[in-house]
Amino acid sequence: MTFSVIILGSGAAAPTSQRYPTAQALQIDENIFLIDCAEGTQMQLRRYKVKIQQIKAIFISHLHGDHVFGLPGLLSSLSMLDRTEPLQLFAPPYLEEWFTEQLKYFTPLGFPVHFHTLTAREPEIIYENKRITVTCFPLKHRIPVWGFLFREKEKALNIRKDMIEFYQIPLRDILSIKAGADYITEERKIIPNAQLTHPPAKPRSYACCTDTVYMEELSQYVKDVDLLYHEATYGNDGKARSKETFHSTAEEAARVALAANARKLVIGHFSSRYKDITSLLNEARSIFPKTVAAEDGLKIDI
Ligand SMILES: [Zn+2]
Ligand SMILES: [Zn+2]
């Protein structure tokens, strides 16, 4: 089953010839979840062959242009492509007013947008379907900002086919065995569940944290995450600037990943002052070796 993320934009602030600003597409089976939607996102979605009609929900971290200016264009295009399915849009306060005002002078969208305003001060589940939950949690930046954690739900136990045959287990008992029950044979013999099932695959998870200063408590919000995206706008040479602008350094991103016991870290949202981000990658890897640097188009299977 698919659970992968495509980085659509890996740069901070304005687009450059190398990097678009922030947007990411998370593909979970046939559903796309878009995180942030900077200028040019619809072009990047096409470039990297993301099926835009599969977008179920959009999660906006904060109201800085480099995370949100692509929204009117993308939604207008979806409308032109005859989308009728409602779109869920999770965003900070005022996004709805801004967006509605933007589109007031143009052809109305052909599908409803359901706005959900983020207000949580503690981690809070804001979306769920059969497969996943999405939790938002506050980050710290010049304006209110939230991170998002996508986590698969626990899967049922896998029943062993050889055991079904061996004990001639009837269909009516299989569901309860998958849910953890033991099996009692006609001779009243108890067969323990562990003998009948294999444990399910571990639920996978992805967390996106942008934009933020270093936050010690963040590692608890994303504890044991499989893949952590953490902004690293600056390297150690930009430490003072990162504090002034409420951003993080690569080293700080790595400290969060280490404390969170993340399996892998992606750093991104690089300042355009870095034409080559090798130094940032090395700084992060000195603390958390399993770090990769985001590039536009980078796809990671989780
Ligand atoms: Zn930003
Ligand atoms: Zn920002």
Side-chain angles (χ1 to χ4, degrees):
M1 299 221 211
T2 313
F3 195 103
S4 59
V5 65
I6 300 177
I7 307 293
L8 302 166
S10 57
T16 67
S17 57
Q18 270 187 309
R19 297 180 188 277
Y20 274 68
T22 303
Q24 305 178 358
L26 187 64
Q27 170 117 39
I28 300 175
D29 295 339
E30 302 299 296
N31 295 329
I32 303 286
F33 299 96
L34 192 66
I35 309 165
D36 283 343
C37 189
E39 189 183 343
T41 295
Q42 59 171 323
M43 299 301 296
Q44 296 292 75
L45 286 162
R46 291 197 178 283
R47 181 166 293 141
Y48 301 117
K49 301 192 168 36
V50 180
K51 294 189 176 137
I52 61 174
Q53 292 295 24
Q54 293 181 346
I55 296 175
K56 291 288 164 218
I58 300 179
F59 299 85
I60 300 292
S61 63
H62 66 302
L63 299 192
H64 276 160
D66 61 327
H67 297 256
V68 77
F69 279 171
L71 210 47
L74 173 63
L75 268 57
S76 297
S77 295
L78 288 174
S79 188
M80 281 189 270
L81 291 167
D82 297 330
R83 180 182 177 119
T84 52
E85 188 192 339
L87 180 83
Q88 309 299 324
L89 183 45
F90 296 81
Y94 308 118
L95 185 282
E96 183 173 358
E97 285 90 322
W98 169 77
F99 184 79
T100 309
E101 184 65 27
Q102 286 276 311
L103 288 196
K104 206 163 81 180
Y105 309 99
F106 300 93
T107 312
L109 296 177
F111 59 92
V113 179
H114 296 159
F115 290 93
H116 306 271
T117 302
L118 303 174
T119 53
R121 288 159 186 263
E122 296 289 329
E124 183 184 306
I125 292 178
I126 51 171
Y127 176 93
E128 72 181 300
N129 64 18
K130 266 199 241 168
R131 284 282 318 278
I132 59 155
T133 59
V134 184
T135 302
C136 79
F137 45 86
L139 300 171
K140 284 182 198 153
H141 195 39
R142 272 173 296 167
I143 59 170
V145 54
W146 283 268
F148 304 103
L149 172 66
F150 297 77
R151 194 185 284 284
E152 280 184 309
K153 291 182 173 175
E154 290 284 344
K155 294 169 197 152
L157 294 157
N158 293 314
I159 195 153
R160 290 176 53 176
K161 286 205 176 72
D162 55 341
M163 290 292 125
I164 299 179
E165 279 164 27
F166 186 80
Y167 290 108
Q168 296 288 301
I169 300 174
L171 211 57
R172 63 169 189 273
D173 291 305
I174 288 180
L175 272 183
S176 56
I177 293 170
K178 278 170 89 82
D182 296 333
Y183 176 61
I184 302 167
T185 64
E186 278 177 13
E187 298 79 38
R188 310 302 297 164
K189 188 179 167 204
I190 297 172
I191 315 296
N193 186 277
Q195 205 178 314
L196 304 168
T197 59
H198 290 304
K202 188 178 160 280
R204 293 165 288 180
S205 54
Y206 173 65
C208 176
C209 305
T210 190
D211 301 353
T212 186
V213 293
Y214 170 73
M215 269 174 70
E216 204 178 325
E217 63 271 40
L218 181 53
S219 57
Q220 290 307 311
Y221 298 164
V222 296
K223 195 81 192 143
D224 298 324
V225 72
D226 288 307
L227 181 64
L228 171 67
Y229 177 96
H230 193 294
E231 73 125 289
T233 310
Y234 297 98
N236 283 339
D237 59 339
K239 214 165 189 148
R241 186 80 188 127
S242 80
K243 295 277 168 292
E244 275 164 36
T245 55
F246 289 81
H247 285 297
S248 300
T249 62
E251 225 179 72
E252 288 169 333
R255 274 163 54 199
V256 173
L258 184 68
N261 189 37
R263 201 155 57 81
K264 192 171 182 174
L265 169 68
V266 194
I267 52 171
H269 196 268
F270 303 120
S271 161
S272 58
R273 68 151 78 171
Y274 300 102
K275 299 288 169 262
D276 176 0
I277 47 85
T278 311
S279 59
L280 277 70
L281 189 57
N282 290 339
E283 285 162 16
R285 281 184 177 164
S286 70
I287 290 167
F288 190 80
K290 286 184 221 144
T291 304
V292 295
E295 295 294 335
D296 292 10
L298 174 71
K299 183 180 176 192
I300 301 176
D301 293 321
I302 299 163

